[in-house]
Structures are given as C-alpha cells and as structure tokens.
Amino acid sequence: MATIDADAQGAPELRAQPAAEAAVPAVTGDPSLIGLPSFIVGSVALGLVLVGYVPAAAVGASIPVIVAATGLGLVIAAVWAAAVGQSAVAGVFGIFAGFWLSYGMLVLGLTHNWFAIVAADALHTQGVFLISWLVVIGMLTLATLRLPIAYTVLFVLIEIALVLVLIGTLQQSAGTLKVAGVVVFVFAAVGVYLFFSSASQATGGKALPLGQPLLHS
C-alpha cells in the first residue's frame, strides 16, 4: 500500500506504507458441543458392558470408543475451553479425560499384564482405581452446587454409578454391576439433555431449562 505526500516544494512524494497485519481472530464457540457427545458415547459403551450386553470376558469391548472417542474428544474440548477462557469447563473436561483414559489404561493393562499384577490382586487394583475417582468426582459434585441443578444431578449420578461399580466389583456381583449400568445410562441421558441445550443456543435458539443452583451465594 502507498500514500502520496507533498514535499517541501509541494511536489508529490510516493511513500511506501506497510500493510497492516491482519488481526488474528479470537477463539470462540462452545466446547461442550464436542465434550458432551464425547462423554455420552463413552458412557453408553460402558453402560452396555456393565449390563452384560457383551460377556464379562469381553470387558475390553468398550475400550476403542472410550479411548479414541471419549478420551481424545474430551482432551480437545478441554483445550478449546481453556482457549476461550472457560477455566471451570476446561477443568471438568480435562478431569474426565483423565478418568476415561485411565480406565482404558486399567483395562488394557490388566488384560495384557502390563503392570505385572497377579490375578489375585487384580480385584483390589480395580478398587484402587474406583476409590480414587470416587474422591475426585465427589469433589467435583460439591463444586457444582453453584451451577444449575442439572449439572449437580449429573455428577451425583456419576458418583452413585461409581459406588455401585465398586460394590459390584469387590463383591463380584453381576446384579449390582447391571444396576450400575442402568445408572450410567441415566446420567448419559442427562448429558444428552445438556447437549441439546448447548446445541439449541449454538443454532440460534434458547437454552433448555437447567434448574436453579442449590447454592446461590
């Protein structure tokens, strides 16, 4: 680009003017449009395993979905949320990415003996995993009390499912694990509702009712 200025004698002078650098567009959007479907598909896959859709020996049937879709999708959603300044959302998606990826690692590690854990200790190894995540999900549940109640319901259901899976695993109770699978389907349905709310806003509509938070202060 160039400008024409007059010199001291009034003669026009051509001066080069560097082009303005194009502004980098800010990252925008709603990361839950990736995070929620990623969470939902892994939950459905896990629920199907827990209710016995596949034999107990085929516990790894859900791993391709959980690792490649849920784990990866939640990592992407967490990065996106951080980029748009949604720290709480990024934290939740990042933590759940850790949950699902570590679950995949647990199942693959135990079934392929990656960790040199003898069969007699496999049961309590799963207990370590479940108890550890019960603590973290319980922490997240308390942290959602200032959010619309739909989010608190989601986390409470996840906590209940983890308790049931822990009991069913330690007691080797297929019935308890099936109940846990049903609860997993229920919290997946809550996730679907939350996704429809986000999708409605993203397509020009209104958010769905999510309820009042339990804590207002």
Side-chain angles (χ1 to χ4, degrees):
M1 185 175 181
T3 59
I4 301 177
D5 295 332
D7 59 13
Q9 287 74 35
E13 178 183 358
L14 186 65
R15 293 181 181 177
Q17 179 177 338
E21 294 183 1
V24 178
V27 178
T28 59
D30 184 358
S32 67
L33 293 176
I34 289 180
L36 287 171
S38 300
F39 175 82
I40 292 163
V41 70
S43 300
V44 171
L46 177 61
L48 289 171
V49 170
L50 290 173
V51 299
Y53 179 76
V54 294
V59 66
S62 62
I63 299 306
V65 171
I66 284 173
V67 173
T70 303
L72 180 59
L74 287 171
V75 168
I76 294 171
V79 173
W80 183 0
V84 297
Q86 297 181 9
S87 300
V89 176
V92 170
F93 284 149
I95 290 169
F96 273 107
F99 170 80
W100 291 106
L101 291 172
S102 62
Y103 173 75
M105 182 68 72
L106 175 72
V107 173
L108 291 173
L110 290 178
T111 54
H112 293 82
N113 197 29
W114 289 350
F115 311 130
I117 297 172
V118 298
D121 295 330
L123 197 63
H124 288 287
T125 299
Q126 296 172 69
V128 168
F129 173 86
L130 292 166
I131 293 169
S132 299
W133 280 107
L134 270 169
V135 172
V136 174
I137 300 303
M139 174 189 71
L140 288 178
T141 302
L142 294 175
T144 65
L145 296 180
R146 287 186 172 85
L147 297 177
I149 196 170
Y151 294 98
T152 304
V153 169
L154 175 66
F155 282 96
V156 168
L157 289 170
I158 295 170
E159 188 81 347
I160 292 171
L162 284 173
V163 170
L164 291 170
V165 172
L166 176 63
I167 294 171
T169 299
L170 296 180
Q171 295 184 351
Q172 298 183 320
S173 170
T176 304
L177 291 175
K178 286 184 179 180
V179 175
V182 173
V183 176
V184 170
F185 289 140
V186 174
F187 72 62
V190 175
V192 170
Y193 183 83
L194 293 173
F195 171 75
F196 282 153
S197 180
S198 295
S200 176
Q201 294 178 83
T203 53
K206 296 182 179 180
L208 300 182
L210 301 180
Q212 296 296 315
L214 295 176
L215 290 181
H216 296 275
S217 59

